[in-house]
Amino acid sequence: MTYRSEFDRSIHQREDFWREQASQIDWIKSPETIWEDRGQGHGQWFPDGQLNSADLALDANIRAGRGDQVALIYDSPVTDTRATFTYTELRDRVALFAGALIKQGIGKGDRVIVYMPMVPEAAIAMLACARIGAIHSVVFGGFAANELAVRIDDATPKAIVTASCGIEVSRVIEYKPLVDNAIRQARHKPECCIVLQRPQATASLEAGRDLDWQAAEAGATPAEPVAMASGDPLYILYTSGTTGKPKGVVRDNGGHAVAMRYSMSLVYDAKPGDVYWAASDVGWVVGHSYIVYAPLFAGCTTVLYEGKPVKTPDAGAFWRVCQEHKVNLLFTAPTAFRAVRKEDPEADQLNRYDISSLKRIFLAGERLDPPTYEWLREHTRLPVLDHWWQTETGWAICCNPVGIEMAATKPGSATFPSPGYDVQIVDTEGRPQPAGTQGQVAIKLPLPPGCLSTVWGDDDRFRRTYLEPLPGFYTSGDGGYIDEEGYVFIMGRTDDVINVAGHRLSTGEMEEIIASHPAVAECCVVGARDELKGQIPIGLVLVKDGATIAHEELEDELVEMVRDQIGAIACFKQAMVVDRLPKTRSGKILRRVIRQIADGEEYSVPSTIDDPAILEEISHQFSP
Ligand code: COA
Ligand code: AMP
């Protein structure tokens, strides 16, 4: 079998191909129908299949004789803790917490928000929801109360599961005041809030609503997995779109399980028993797919790391974890290695550790810049494999198909489309572009299993955003090209989404916050290039006539507002008052040119510009 033959089969004999992949998982009721079209090229995979995702992650491994194998390693340099859970131990913890959820009246289809730091209980809470058919929605712990409130109102959860605190490099972040604040702000009020008390901070509990994790578990009966239809939602994960309202990406149970299982062999060539470490956070899609679900579906040992690539305690942290837990496969974002390289350019730390267990390093979440790629290759002498995907797809759209055959890598390319993804480069009208020409990266419908089934509570938005812009295609929002040899190069977003340290953020959302300041007449936020984080947001602001606030004061207030409403993770540290904003004659702000100016790039003056002199003024402000 070659990559080409497998890819062709996945496109031209789609149903046979996915029937075969579906046979790799332990269904409660195997699907007879593989694909059901529900219009516009969108539909449902395995509609009559039944399964339980937590059963597949845990019990199925125990049935296969892996009960005593370590399922999860918790490594927390910030608390100096290590812990391991075998498949049996993890299953028992999950079943008990699932019982605790049932005791709170939570059942199939109810939503549960999980707002947790990187502790094993985060994964336990997710799997416990899956076990009883509740839909989890994990919110990244770095998001502020306002972001949490928006998600509470959208997902209308019956319960929130949280912890007393998260631990950052130099400070303990108390979560409970954020949760309380979010519930106060939200129109929807969850009925209960289960709190894991950590020794670093004790949360105060509100009588009648909040209860301690242990108290919730006391007297609970371990729950058995319930049968879920393939199309039943497993989780909702919010991601940034072009407006202030995040999109709740809905992932189903059946398609997700089949895709996760397939991706573990195709993309990572992972075998049962391998130690697989995705150095990310459960709040992001990487954490959902490759810290929690896929490694467990595949019978691997997953590593859950509560720390950073640097400063916990140093730039040798990743190599230390690889040595200590004999990691075989490592996956992280390029930013993490840019941070390591910045602190340890000669990779001296690497020589202190034995990383001989490591077979391959995988990177995704943002563009893998060639210098980081070369540095990693040179110092580790391991295959360094870029792959491209999104929250929406849940697994790699493009990858180096190592599970079939390893292709030669090209710096800057995520290699080839994964089987199942008919990736094409098109112009804004959907016309195919020749090799080497940049355009929009689109995927011919239908999407393979595992991709989003809709936007939570807003099917219209799903169709409007992803299916309607290019009829017959899924619109990825990324631009790029395919070269003569079929290698795909992703060059960046074509919309108002930016990527800061591998985190996806909306400039539109930041603009909405800035525009709400009483002294701001108009504003625009662009993602400027940053050596460490890839991009960082910069705001340009026009002050209202008659506003008397000093410019520095306004700039500081705006930075504080974004930090307060989105979170420190937005890294919004620069707002700049300008006299005018460059616009087209029809009044559209020329964001691309502003970005080029901020990056110090050559720019050409657009013919549609209203007043070219403004560009000079802006350039001068960036480099006076
Ligand atoms: N809870 C609360 N706050 C958090 C947080 C969390 N889970 N994660 C980050 N923050 C805060 C940080 O403390 C920081 O606050 P500050 O401005 O007060 O210092 C801010 O958000 C920005 O965080 P971060 O982007 O992590 O920047 P950093 O300078 O602390 O660290 C890196 C830089 C490169 C080490 C870090 O960005 C990193 O590890 N990147 C890898 C990203 C990654 O794994 N992405 C997952 C996608 S695959
Ligand atoms: P997220 O939904 O947070 O995973 O972010 C998805 C976005 O990150 C994509 O739309 C891309 O813009 C970017 N991205 C992810 N992986 C890559 C990659 N390997 N190369 C280039 N961009 C990437």
Side-chain angles (χ1 to χ4, degrees):
M1 189 193 19
T2 61
Y3 157 74
R4 184 40 63 188
S5 65
E6 173 125 335
F7 178 82
D8 287 347
R9 224 166 84 72
S10 76
I11 301 300
H12 304 301
Q13 289 153 275
R14 198 178 298 277
E15 294 196 22
D16 288 348
F17 179 82
W18 287 111
R19 185 189 305 280
E20 225 165 81
Q21 302 312 328
S23 71
Q24 303 295 313
I25 69 164
D26 210 348
W27 297 86
I28 293 171
K29 177 181 172 291
S30 294
E32 276 160 33
T33 306
I34 299 302
W35 168 249
E36 191 175 276
D37 201 302
R38 295 187 179 164
Q40 286 182 298
H42 189 61
Q44 179 64 55
W45 288 100
F46 320 114
D48 56 355
Q50 286 182 9
L51 74 166
N52 180 282
S53 296
D55 172 79
L56 214 55
L58 303 168
D59 309 58
N61 281 297
I62 299 168
R63 291 195 289 276
R66 280 190 281 278
D68 294 333
Q69 181 195 309
V70 173
L72 187 145
I73 297 170
Y74 169 53
D75 184 306
S76 168
V78 292
T79 59
D80 200 16
T81 313
R82 316 277 187 275
T84 57
F85 300 77
T86 63
Y87 270 99
T88 303
E89 287 165 346
L90 190 60
R91 192 270 317 268
D92 292 348
R93 289 286 308 268
V94 167
L96 184 61
F97 193 65
L101 292 175
I102 291 175
K103 243 177 69 184
Q104 295 307 313
I106 295 156
K108 205 167 179 170
D110 290 333
R111 274 80 58 210
V112 175
I113 280 188
V114 177
Y115 184 67
M116 301 277 275
M118 283 290 284
V119 289
E121 285 79 1
I124 289 170
M126 292 163 75
L127 290 162
C129 289
R131 197 166 184 87
I132 59 169
I135 303 167
H136 61 70
S137 185
V138 183
V139 178
F140 175 61
F143 279 128
N146 173 63
E147 289 289 317
L148 183 56
V150 169
R151 286 154 175 79
I152 291 173
D153 275 336
D154 198 74
T156 60
K158 217 171 196 176
I160 297 185
V161 181
T162 189
S164 57
C165 65
I167 297 148
E168 278 297 285
V169 173
S170 54
R171 64 192 198 280
V172 170
I173 296 175
E174 292 200 33
Y175 277 28
K176 190 59 183 1
L178 297 170
V179 173
D180 290 340
N181 189 356
I183 296 176
R184 253 193 313 279
Q185 284 182 43
R187 286 184 309 280
H188 172 82
K189 307 293 176 196
E191 287 167 25
C192 95
C193 184
I194 300 177
V195 185
L196 175 77
Q197 297 282 15
R198 303 186 78 190
Q200 295 77 11
T202 305
S204 60
L205 304 182
E206 191 181 296
R209 187 196 69 191
D210 302 343
L211 80 165
D212 179 75
W213 183 289
Q214 265 87 32
E217 283 186 341
T221 309
E224 288 302 318
V226 300
M228 302 295 290
S230 179
D232 285 338
L234 169 65
Y235 69 76
I236 307 166
L237 177 58
Y238 287 89
T239 190
S240 301
T242 50
T243 67
K245 190 168 185 266
K247 287 180 288 212
V249 163
V250 178
R251 191 98 55 218
D252 69 7
N253 275 275
H256 172 252
V258 173
M260 289 296 101
R261 188 77 179 76
Y262 177 59
S263 72
M264 283 305 274
S265 54
L266 171 85
V267 185
Y268 307 101
D269 195 21
K271 306 276 189 289
D274 275 348
V275 179
Y276 183 101
W277 177 26
S280 177
D281 189 289
V282 288
W284 307 116
V285 68
V286 176
H288 282 63
S289 293
Y290 297 109
I291 295 174
V292 181
Y293 286 106
L296 299 180
F297 288 160
C300 296
T301 298
T302 186
V303 180
L304 192 139
Y305 174 70
E306 187 181 27
K308 300 261 176 180
V310 292
K311 300 195 170 62
T312 58
D314 54 35
F318 273 22
W319 313 129
R320 193 270 303 160
V321 174
C322 288
Q323 169 181 289
E324 197 169 323
H325 305 301
K326 299 197 170 38
V327 172
N328 303 118
L329 302 159
L330 167 61
F331 173 5
T332 191
T335 307
F337 279 117
R338 284 201 295 272
V340 172
R341 178 176 167 222
K342 191 161 171 244
E343 294 212 353
D344 182 21
E346 298 308 320
D348 294 330
Q349 290 280 1
L350 182 53
N351 299 326
R352 293 178 50 209
Y353 299 98
D354 172 5
I355 62 156
S356 56
S357 58
L358 201 55
K359 293 189 271 194
R360 284 175 286 279
I361 299 175
F362 298 91
L363 294 154
E366 58 181 320
R367 183 161 184 270
L368 171 55
D369 51 297
T372 304
Y373 167 82
E374 301 291 1
W375 181 84
L376 255 180
R377 289 227 349 149
E378 181 192 331
H379 291 288
T380 63
R381 301 190 181 281
L382 288 166
V384 174
L385 305 172
D386 186 9
H387 55 322
W388 167 59
W389 52 297
Q390 313 182 313
T391 304
E392 288 85 345
T393 64
W395 63 289
I397 309 166
C398 287
C399 69
N400 194 319
V402 282
I404 307 172
E405 55 181 339
M406 179 144 142
T409 52
K410 285 194 189 182
S413 168
T415 316
F416 300 139
S418 303
Y421 289 100
D422 189 355
V423 177
Q424 301 191 12
I425 306 296
V426 299
D427 66 9
T428 46
E429 307 301 316
R431 287 179 297 240
Q433 299 300 292
T437 305
Q438 272 207 46
Q440 309 206 29
V441 189
I443 303 163
K444 192 125 189 42
L445 294 168
L447 290 169
C451 298
L452 81 169
S453 46
T454 187
V455 169
W456 178 256
D458 200 346
D459 206 48
D460 268 1
R461 189 175 183 194
F462 165 70
R463 289 179 186 271
R464 243 185 7 256
T465 312
Y466 300 109
L467 307 185
E468 284 167 12
L470 299 167
F473 292 96
Y474 163 85
T475 306
S476 74
D478 279 306
Y481 65 95
I482 302 181
D483 75 6
E484 302 280 352
E485 291 178 300
Y487 282 73
V488 182
F489 291 76
I490 301 299
M491 305 307 289
R493 300 286 306 194
T494 56
D495 54 14
D496 296 335
V497 168
I498 58 171
N499 201 310
V500 181
H503 308 132
R504 177 165 155 182
L505 298 165
S506 159
T507 54
E509 181 176 11
M510 293 183 213
E511 287 175 3
E512 283 177 28
I513 294 167
I514 294 171
S516 71
H517 190 290
V520 171
E522 211 176 351
C523 69
C524 136
V525 174
V526 295
R529 193 175 303 138
D530 182 78
E531 219 177 276
L532 175 65
K533 300 193 175 183
Q535 284 185 302
I536 46 158
I538 294 182
L540 272 63
V541 180
L542 219 64
V543 179
K544 273 184 188 159
D545 287 346
T548 52
I549 187 168
H551 288 180
E552 290 79 37
E553 196 184 330
L554 173 62
E555 288 163 1
D556 290 349
E557 282 183 16
L558 296 175
V559 166
E560 208 40 52
M561 278 169 79
V562 174
R563 192 178 167 91
D564 194 51
Q565 292 185 43
I566 297 181
I569 201 72
C571 297
F572 182 78
K573 298 206 165 138
Q574 197 184 352
M576 204 190 254
V577 172
V578 294
D579 293 332
R580 299 183 294 170
L581 285 169
K583 289 186 180 174
T584 61
R585 281 186 283 276
S586 61
K588 204 163 172 260
I589 297 174
L590 289 158
R591 288 184 169 73
R592 206 165 85 92
V593 187
I594 298 174
R595 199 169 55 234
Q596 286 172 318
I597 294 173
D599 290 347
E601 279 177 11
E602 290 278 318
Y603 61 88
S604 48
V605 180
S607 56
T608 51
I609 194 164
D610 184 34
D611 180 358
I614 303 177
L615 297 181
E616 288 282 313
E617 291 169 21
I618 304 262
S619 291
H620 187 69
Q621 276 196 272
F622 272 103
S623 36

